[in-house]
Structures are given as structure tokens and as C-alpha cells.
Amino acid sequence: MIKEPFSVDLKTPDYIPSHFDNHIQRRLSDMQGQYLNQDAYAAMISKEDTLLYQVYEEKTLEVAGELPHGISIVHPGKVGDEYFMTKGHYHTVLDTAEVYYTLKGQGYMVMETPEGESDVQELVAGRVLYVPPRWAHRSVNISDTEDLVMLFVYPGNAGHNYGTIETQGFRKLVVEVDGRPEIVDNPRWSPPEKK
């Protein structure tokens, strides 16, 4: 764990950090049930367990006051008409935020609250996105050829809750229609349970 000031280089064209201590690779098999077109998913995975995205992270103590950070790289591609995306998550400590800075590529951040409010923001190089507390978030790469590369920073005590999204999905999907990305309602989305 880091206890002293440090620097990391992000060299173009791929922006992989010069130092990281956690490298996550998510493949198609990690996204079971997340894509709308399950026939297209089954056909793809029967041929290859494609690498969808990677995370290079500098780990810190998982306590308030620390700022874990790293690089997220979502590769180009689609499952059926739906673009490659991250799993998406809430923070375990719901009242924690996250900041993303897009370094390369283009895409969308799909977000929603536990109450079902949703928002989708465009991601373009040079833009900073603030994801407020209580908002689940998922990155989607809409390019056919270029990686979507983002720097992220979040509170050390935030944690990650992937289970809620795996169960209910996101309210909105980003799909290709007539060669262009469109934001559509997810027919398989489950509304949050009333308390």
C-alpha cells in the first residue's frame, strides 16, 4: 500500500500506467446475463471469450481519506447491436462519488439511482464526468475501432456492489441503430423494490 507521495506516467497511445498494482481483465464470460440479445451472446462466447475491458489500478487503503485511482480501457465491439461495456456498479457505501476523465475515445456513461432515476452522459476526450453519490454507473464504448480510455478516482472506503446491477440491469441501454448509437429502454430492467 502507498504511504508516500508518488507519480505515474500515462504514455500515449494506450495510457497504461507506468506503475499499477491491480490489473482486472473482464471477458465476455464475466458479463453473463448483462446483454439484451442472449442469442448473440451465446454465439459469440461459443467462438471466443473476448476481452471486453481492462482496469489498471493503484490500490490504496480502503478507508475514507484515501483516493484509489487508475485507468479503465473499454475495447471496441458489440454483442448483437449492443456496444461493449463495463459491468457497472453501485458503491457499497452508497453516499460516495466518483470522477472520470476521458483520455481517448468516445462513449457514454449510463447511470441510475436505487430509486430508478436514470441519466446518460456522453464521454469524449478531454471531458470530466462527476458521478454523484447514490448513482450506479457503467461505461459504454461506441467506437468501432478505438478504445475508450478513462482515468478514474473514487474514495477509498467506497467499495463496489456489482450484484444489484447483475440482478436488475440498467434502465437504459446503448445500441447501434442504422449505424449510429441510440439510448433505448431496457425491456429486461427490473424496477427497484419499494420499501
Side-chain angles (χ1 to χ4, degrees):
M1 292 295 158
I2 302 159
K3 297 186 178 172
E4 297 178 357
F6 71 97
S7 299
V8 171
D9 295 321
L10 302 174
K11 297 204 172 167
T12 58
D14 56 16
Y15 293 98
I16 294 173
S18 58
H19 179 270
F20 55 90
D21 51 22
N22 188 30
H23 180 207
I24 299 167
Q25 297 185 74
R26 299 271 194 228
R27 298 188 172 276
L28 197 55
S29 59
D30 297 311
M31 300 290 283
Q32 178 108 22
Q34 297 304 298
Y35 284 96
L36 182 60
N37 187 334
Q38 287 296 289
D39 291 337
Y41 175 88
M44 267 185 86
I45 203 163
S46 71
K47 294 178 186 160
E48 181 184 357
D49 194 7
T50 307
L51 180 64
L52 303 184
Y53 70 98
Q54 300 178 75
V55 176
Y56 296 87
E57 189 170 24
E58 199 69 54
K59 293 296 278 182
T60 63
L61 295 173
E62 294 180 0
V63 296
E66 293 285 352
L67 293 173
H69 57 281
I71 296 294
S72 168
I73 303 172
V74 185
H75 301 299
K78 290 189 289 291
V79 176
D81 294 327
E82 195 172 354
Y83 296 96
F84 282 2
M85 60 190 179
T86 62
K87 285 185 94 165
H89 62 272
Y90 282 99
H91 288 159
T92 307
V93 177
L94 204 51
D95 288 320
T96 51
E98 190 159 357
V99 171
Y100 288 86
Y101 175 67
T102 304
L103 295 161
K104 176 181 174 182
Q106 55 184 338
Y108 289 98
M109 188 70 78
V110 178
M111 298 168 284
E112 70 181 57
T113 66
E115 295 75 32
E117 184 180 356
S118 67
D119 192 16
V120 180
Q121 294 282 324
E122 188 177 11
L123 302 168
V124 294
R127 183 171 291 170
V128 175
L129 171 67
Y130 176 70
V131 180
R134 301 183 57 75
W135 286 81
H137 40 288
R138 161 181 281 165
S139 311
V140 180
N141 182 355
I142 62 168
S143 173
D144 290 331
T145 58
E146 188 176 37
D147 287 337
L148 173 64
V149 183
M150 292 181 293
L151 171 73
F152 61 84
V153 182
Y154 62 92
N157 65 327
H160 295 86
N161 166 7
Y162 296 99
T164 301
I165 298 306
E166 288 173 351
T167 302
Q168 75 182 36
F170 273 89
R171 187 172 203 146
K172 299 293 182 181
L173 302 175
V174 184
V175 298
E176 185 179 75
V177 178
D178 296 328
R180 301 178 53 84
E182 280 198 21
I183 299 155
V184 299
D185 289 334
N186 180 359
R188 292 175 47 212
W189 177 74
S190 303
E193 293 181 15
K194 303 254 186 211
K195 295 184 180 182

